[in-house]
Amino acid sequence: MKKNSGIVYTFILTFALCCLQLIVGAQDTTSTNRSTTVTTETSTSTDWIMQPWVWFVGGAVLLIILVALFRSNSNKETTRTTVIKDNRG
């Protein structure tokens, strides 16, 4: 019975997705009566993130931080002391 319900579930899911494609495709209409005006603005300024020196400086800072973090962890000496409580008299 479980195998049969899996087939039914797959069929219903496939049918629903096909119907969704029909609905989405029906939304795309082209009409000759409509006119659209597109305006674009051009800018001559450049963003700071597009500058190559920003990436080099950012990479260098990240590398320095990573080296400092890994180096500080490797220099720590850990000493473990085990305390055993003795309840003798």
Side-chain angles (χ1 to χ4, degrees):
M1 186 70 178
K2 285 186 178 183
K3 186 177 182 182
N4 200 13
S5 66
I7 293 171
V8 172
Y9 176 74
T10 305
F11 176 74
I12 292 172
L13 185 64
T14 304
F15 182 74
L17 290 175
C18 287
C19 289
L20 182 68
Q21 286 291 338
L22 290 174
I23 293 170
V24 172
Q27 298 294 324
D28 188 24
T29 60
T30 57
S31 176
T32 57
N33 295 338
R34 296 182 185 172
S35 64
T36 58
T37 305
V38 177
T39 58
T40 58
E41 295 180 21
T42 58
S43 175
T44 57
S45 65
T46 57
D47 293 332
W48 62 271
I49 200 164
M50 299 301 287
Q51 301 296 327
W53 65 270
V54 173
W55 291 100
F56 290 126
V57 170
V61 168
L62 180 66
L63 185 63
I64 290 170
I65 291 172
L66 288 175
V67 167
L69 285 174
F70 287 123
R71 183 163 239 194
S72 67
N73 287 338
S74 65
N75 287 338
K76 291 183 181 179
E77 293 182 21
T78 58
T79 305
R80 295 183 183 204
T81 305
T82 305
V83 177
I84 301 173
K85 185 176 181 182
D86 191 10
N87 288 332
R88 291 184 217 175

